[in-house]
Amino acid sequence: MAVSEDVLPFRQFVLKVHSRCDLACDHCYVYEHADQSWAGRPMVISPEAVDKAGERIAEHARDNGLSGVRVILHGGEPLLAGLPRLAGIARSLRRAIEPCCDLDLRIHTNGVRLDAELCELFLAERVKVGISLDGDRAANDLHRRYAHGGSSYEQVLRAVGLLRQPRYRAIYAGLLATIDVRSDPAAVYRALAALDPPNLDFLLPHGTWDCPPPGAGLPGSTRYADWLGVVFDEWTADSRRVPVRIFESIIETTLGGASLTESLGLEPSDVVVIEADGSIEQADSIKVVYDGAPATGLDIFRHPLSAAAAHPGIRARQRGIAGLSATCRQCPVVTSCGGGLYAHRYRTGSGFDNPSVYCADLEKIITHVRARLRPDAAGRGSQAGEPDQSPARRPWNALAEAQLDELAAGFGGTEAISRLSAAQRTLRRALLRLVHERVRPGSELAAAGWDLLGQLDHAAPGAVDEVLAHPYIRTWAERCLRAASAAAANSAPQAEVGHLASIAAAAAVRAGASAEIEVPVIDGYAHLPTLGRLRAGDVASATLAVAGAGAFEVRAASGKWHVGPGTAEQDPDWEPVRELRAGDWVVRLEDTDPYRDCHQWPVTPRLTAAEAATWQAQFEQAVGLIERSYPQYAPGIAAGLSVLLPLANDEPGREISAAARAAFGAVAAALPPAGADLALLIIHEFQHVKLGALIDMFDLYDRAERRLFFAPWRADPRPLVGLLQGTYAHIGVTDYWRLRRHQVAGPEAGDAAQLFTRWRMMTAEAIGTLAESGALTPLGTRLVQGMRATVQPWLDEPVPASAEEAAHRWAAERRETWERHQGR
Ligand code: SF4
């Protein structure tokens, strides 16, 4: 049941300040394509239009509660507006917008007029400068020429040279290159990377199915993908030292993140254009479609910007998968591609309801990049290069049909869970690489950690894998990356980034390698993930020297400790991670890792020996019960559960448990009263662990879906992913009570029957909501069908009438609460 659909606000505003240009580039979308509206516009924006634009943007930010917006001064060539006018524009916009929210002000120029005087202005007014440059001289001169045919290359290089000076470096936003497949891709990349841009954008030349760009849209032609593939490989060989937005977008969306560019992915478009005469228009790229295509019929003098947010052309680009053609909706790379740039889908007759004119190129380059994210690329591995025919055809992690169906049914054996673990290992390695590339520079500890990890990865890969499989490595990596993107790049807290050295140190200890490395001290402890922590006192870092398997020495200003295989329990300063054991099951009882607090409930401090012994006793009981009575879950949990994380509980008797998407393999729980309760919590939370890993691997639903849905077990509406997670987890819960009612007697059996009846009813209802949501991908539909096939027969199992009545009463109360919540 859908209850709401958002109209999304704009966050980026392209303001056309001058509608003519001093170059005559033949690939320019403003002058050389179908839309010729520029000819009827004033040459320069008027001060009144600038003031009104600032006012409208501020109003839009205020009405939508935005904390920040980006305004890009554009043209034509915006520098033709001249210094005094540009100064006035920057000041007017800041005056109007900054009382409401942050303003990220930029200008995008061809660069030929940029001089020191303009740079001083932009520095003073905090305007970042992006420059169009197509590559080396040969590539640039293919198109970027003056009307008399002369090259613009020298002038643009001089402009970039200015921005690279230390004084102006802070206002250097990056370079944007339009691809011409006739140029040498490696030479283009090298020429642009040599200019050290903070961002490098490669743009596909604009075109449509009616008027395809040169060499695109032809059967079997992938010239643009081949060209970009060479650039990608060159970029990778160059340690990816320059951020290239198209590749980073593919990587981010592959890893479940958001696209970084409007030209790829399923992120809702948030850009609107304000022309020099005050007209409100859709994105500039739509100019290639037909004359007048970007027009909305609105202008800032008469209309608020929110009127444009409701325009059908703009809404169409905010609907995620639902806004794409049927071909795109079935496409295995749709979450990274998103049908490409909206304009490139156009064909007379079917409008925008087509794949991109670059479809073959986009699929090929996305597959190329994804293939390099496989184990071979992020570390070691054995499968790069072969096409993968697994159900979702993601190239770096295979899941056989049978394994997918096992998981869809709610179960999953050793092999299926091992595949999920392998995918997580790949993902963690990719994240580690991102931390290395984006955050590590500036942290000596992290740099040394990365180098040591690289050496160990060759000498003792098993030890590295063991540490990297620790659930809280990913939570740490994601935290570093979030911190880096929230602040300026490379500015995540040093101790945080330095944890990379601790990870390497733990791998060295496990490998018994001889190594010496400085590790950060966090809250008074030097941490060795998977092994434990050593109290090192009030210092920032300590030196760890490994001297044989399991033996190491830590030296800090506050003292020196030797920890060896036999000394762990005797040294009060060394707190090893304890292991819970039951038969073949070995699980870490994690109460030391500094990044473990990610499960929405507070964690316990270090457990006492008596508390740890109680956990051990309950764990044995829980494992015994799972193996005996829940054999369809036991092998999968045994293969994937690596950590039990104790949660704090200030209300004795209250059941608290959780799983975190980023912490694959970990189940968090407050110690329940008995082993049977712990068994239920493990079965329940491990369902979340499995589904989270599947979501990481495959596109199960439209990630742009914004509606909220009724979840029968909750009073508040849930997003689609929350409903999917809850439903999958409750298959385990329903099954637990289904079988439990036959294992116990007396009132306990009555309670179990009631809980079974309640959970089967709610789970079946939620499965129906998911199936009818219209937001599932074909693979998601297959998953939900598998879930339904498991639950359906349970609905026919006989239960006492009293259990049925109680369950119906309970469900009716839930729905009443929900309806009250919805104000009905
Ligand atoms: S690769 Fe082609 S079919 Fe797939 S999403 Fe992109 S444009 Fe659509």
Side-chain angles (χ1 to χ4, degrees):
M1 177 190 322
V3 293
S4 65
E5 193 173 5
D6 299 332
V7 173
L8 300 170
F10 299 115
R11 292 168 197 277
Q12 301 191 66
F13 305 86
V14 175
L15 182 61
K16 299 301 188 81
V17 299
H18 198 286
S19 49
R20 305 292 190 273
C21 188
D22 43 1
L23 291 184
C25 310
D26 57 8
H27 56 9
C28 176
Y29 52 78
V30 176
Y31 305 110
E32 303 296 334
H33 282 288
D35 181 79
Q36 290 293 309
S37 53
W38 62 273
R41 297 230 151 89
M43 202 142 71
V44 192
I45 193 167
S46 66
E48 295 71 34
V50 173
D51 292 347
K52 194 69 191 175
E55 207 180 291
R56 288 296 192 197
I57 294 168
E59 170 189 62
H60 190 73
R62 208 172 30 244
D63 291 351
N64 290 286
L66 303 182
S67 58
V69 296
R70 173 177 291 179
V71 178
I72 303 146
L73 308 182
H74 214 282
E77 169 46 45
L79 294 189
L80 285 175
L83 190 145
R85 201 181 304 256
L86 288 169
I89 292 170
R91 286 168 200 150
S92 164
L93 292 173
R94 289 213 179 275
R95 222 174 18 249
I97 298 170
E98 286 194 328
C100 298
C101 68
D102 292 342
L103 170 60
D104 173 4
L105 187 53
R106 296 176 179 236
I107 189 163
H108 194 86
T109 167
N110 63 29
V112 297
R113 284 172 185 260
L114 188 73
D115 57 17
E117 217 183 334
L118 279 163
C119 285
E120 282 299 323
L121 168 72
F122 295 143
L123 188 64
E125 300 300 333
R126 291 170 289 139
V127 182
K128 290 195 161 191
V129 184
I131 291 201
S132 295
L133 176 64
D134 289 349
D136 56 357
R137 178 187 291 276
N140 200 67
D141 288 356
L142 284 173
H143 302 283
R144 307 194 68 80
R145 290 179 174 274
Y146 290 95
H148 56 62
S151 165
S152 62
Y153 187 66
E154 290 302 335
Q155 283 89 334
V156 182
L157 268 200
R158 189 189 37 74
V160 176
L162 266 174
L163 292 174
R164 292 178 67 201
Q165 290 178 8
R167 178 162 177 77
Y168 303 125
R169 179 78 203 176
I171 57 166
Y172 184 16
L175 300 176
L176 187 144
T178 300
I179 298 168
D180 186 317
V181 288
R182 292 172 298 170
S183 58
D184 174 350
V188 165
Y189 170 76
R190 283 196 294 265
L192 295 172
L195 300 175
D196 213 13
N199 260 303
L200 180 50
D201 274 305
F202 285 102
L203 201 73
L204 291 163
H206 291 315
T208 66
W209 286 102
D210 291 348
C211 184
L218 304 171
S221 167
T222 54
R223 292 170 68 193
Y224 290 88
D226 299 339
W227 194 94
L228 279 167
V230 174
V231 174
F232 179 82
D233 294 343
E234 195 71 27
W235 180 59
T236 303
D238 192 26
S239 303
R240 302 181 186 174
R241 65 188 175 84
V242 172
V244 178
R245 213 186 305 253
I246 185 171
F247 301 141
E248 296 203 327
S249 264
I250 296 172
I251 293 169
E252 290 281 343
T253 48
T254 295
L255 299 177
S259 173
L260 309 172
T261 161
E262 207 207 351
S263 59
L264 285 178
L266 292 167
E267 295 316 298
S269 166
D270 62 359
V271 187
V272 71
V273 177
I274 301 171
E275 285 288 350
D277 62 356
S279 330
I280 304 172
E281 296 219 331
Q282 301 177 62
D284 263 1
S285 50
I286 298 176
K287 288 182 187 299
V288 300
V289 170
Y290 52 82
D291 196 14
T296 62
L298 305 168
D299 69 73
I300 52 171
F301 297 105
R302 294 176 303 144
H303 306 102
L305 291 164
S306 54
H311 185 275
I314 288 170
R315 294 287 295 130
R317 288 177 293 127
Q318 297 195 330
R319 292 175 55 222
I321 284 186
L324 300 183
S325 67
T327 312
C328 292
R329 289 202 297 272
Q330 302 290 327
C331 174
V333 300
V334 67
T335 49
S336 287
C337 176
L341 200 65
Y342 187 63
H344 298 174
R345 300 174 207 162
Y346 186 80
R347 189 196 291 270
T348 302
S350 48
F352 295 93
D353 190 18
N354 306 295
S356 168
V357 69
Y358 285 107
C359 178
D361 290 289
L362 291 170
E363 181 168 14
K364 188 169 183 183
I365 187 60
I366 291 167
T367 304
H368 181 89
V369 173
R370 286 180 170 188
R372 270 72 188 166
L373 285 180
R374 298 167 59 181
D376 272 9
R380 285 160 295 94
S382 59
Q383 310 152 52
E386 312 140 17
D388 186 319
Q389 297 307 316
S390 62
R393 289 190 283 146
R394 282 274 171 90
W396 67 97
N397 286 116
L399 197 59
E401 301 275 340
Q403 291 158 0
L404 180 77
D405 289 337
E406 273 174 32
L407 289 162
F411 311 120
T414 308
E415 185 57 24
I417 303 302
S418 301
R419 295 299 180 101
L420 299 185
S421 302
Q424 291 293 312
R425 203 163 49 239
T426 308
L427 203 147
R428 277 190 287 256
R429 281 179 174 271
L431 283 171
L432 217 61
R433 176 169 283 282
L434 281 179
V435 170
H436 162 65
E437 288 169 2
R438 291 197 189 160
V439 187
R440 178 206 48 91
S443 166
E444 282 174 22
L445 268 56
W450 179 257
D451 292 344
L452 178 58
L453 212 53
Q455 291 159 25
L456 291 168
D457 209 16
H458 282 100
V464 173
D465 274 344
E466 212 168 333
V467 178
L468 294 191
H470 188 51
Y472 303 110
I473 299 292
R474 179 171 162 191
T475 59
W476 159 77
E478 289 185 353
R479 200 161 132 173
C480 286
L481 293 169
R482 271 197 304 274
S485 56
N490 303 337
S491 67
Q494 292 301 295
E496 197 118 283
V497 186
H499 190 60
L500 188 53
S502 305
I503 293 167
V509 172
R510 286 192 171 276
S514 151
E516 188 164 310
I517 186 166
E518 186 138 8
V519 297
V521 172
I522 303 173
D523 296 333
Y525 290 92
H527 293 267
L528 293 176
T530 72
L531 294 169
R533 66 181 184 183
L534 186 80
R535 190 175 293 118
D538 188 16
V539 290
S541 65
T543 303
L544 179 132
V546 186
F552 55 93
E553 205 171 79
V554 175
R555 298 190 289 268
S558 47
K560 177 175 164 180
W561 300 264
H562 180 79
V563 180
T567 60
E569 289 298 344
Q570 294 128 42
D571 188 338
D573 289 326
W574 170 240
E575 296 176 347
V577 175
R578 301 181 182 100
E579 284 179 347
L580 299 174
R581 290 177 177 268
D584 293 337
W585 295 44
V586 184
V587 167
R588 284 194 289 279
L589 183 64
E590 180 55 85
D591 57 359
T592 67
D593 193 287
Y595 296 97
R596 72 190 189 280
D597 193 357
C598 62
H599 292 275
Q600 122 204 28
W601 300 96
V603 300
T604 63
R606 172 75 169 169
L607 300 179
T608 63
E611 287 167 337
T614 312
W615 271 95
Q616 172 61 36
Q618 281 213 11
F619 180 69
E620 281 173 47
Q621 291 167 16
V623 170
L625 182 63
I626 293 171
E627 286 197 319
R628 224 174 25 252
S629 305
Y630 302 95
Q632 64 277 50
Y633 298 92
I637 299 176
L641 181 69
S642 59
V643 160
L644 271 177
L645 180 98
L647 294 175
N649 190 358
D650 50 12
E651 275 181 53
R654 184 178 179 196
E655 271 182 20
I656 296 179
S657 65
R661 168 97 174 269
F664 176 84
V667 163
L671 188 68
D677 304 313
L678 183 59
L680 170 61
L681 297 184
I682 291 175
I683 289 172
H684 172 178
E685 298 302 342
F686 199 73
Q687 294 292 101
H688 285 297
V689 170
K690 288 187 289 190
L691 187 65
L694 272 176
I695 291 171
D696 281 338
M697 284 175 83
F698 303 124
D699 303 329
L700 301 177
Y701 56 89
D702 180 355
R703 290 178 201 236
E705 176 61 69
R706 294 287 186 278
R707 289 173 297 163
L708 297 173
F709 296 83
F710 173 57
W713 50 88
R714 300 271 302 220
D716 55 334
R718 304 292 292 148
L720 187 88
V721 63
L723 182 68
L724 184 60
Q725 278 277 8
T727 311
Y728 193 76
H730 289 133
I731 288 179
V733 174
T734 308
D735 208 7
Y736 177 89
W737 291 115
R738 182 176 78 89
L739 298 166
R740 188 75 182 150
R741 75 194 206 273
H742 303 301
Q743 297 157 11
V744 289
E748 229 187 306
D751 290 347
Q754 215 182 93
L755 286 165
F756 163 56
T757 315
R758 180 192 294 181
W759 283 114
R760 74 177 178 181
M761 181 189 296
M762 291 192 286
T763 307
E765 184 180 352
I767 287 172
T769 307
L770 287 168
E772 287 158 21
S773 68
L776 300 175
T777 62
L779 199 66
T781 302
R782 182 168 163 178
L783 179 89
V784 171
Q785 281 166 351
M787 291 158 65
R788 176 174 268 159
T790 296
V791 173
Q792 195 67 32
W794 297 348
L795 298 174
D796 298 329
E797 289 192 17
V799 290
S802 58
E804 195 82 61
E805 279 161 25
H808 279 288
R809 255 196 326 274
W810 195 85
E813 279 166 21
R814 276 280 132 159
R815 184 161 292 275
E816 231 178 83
T817 315
W818 151 268
E819 282 172 358
R820 256 202 320 276
H821 194 282
Q822 297 305 308
R824 282 184 230 142

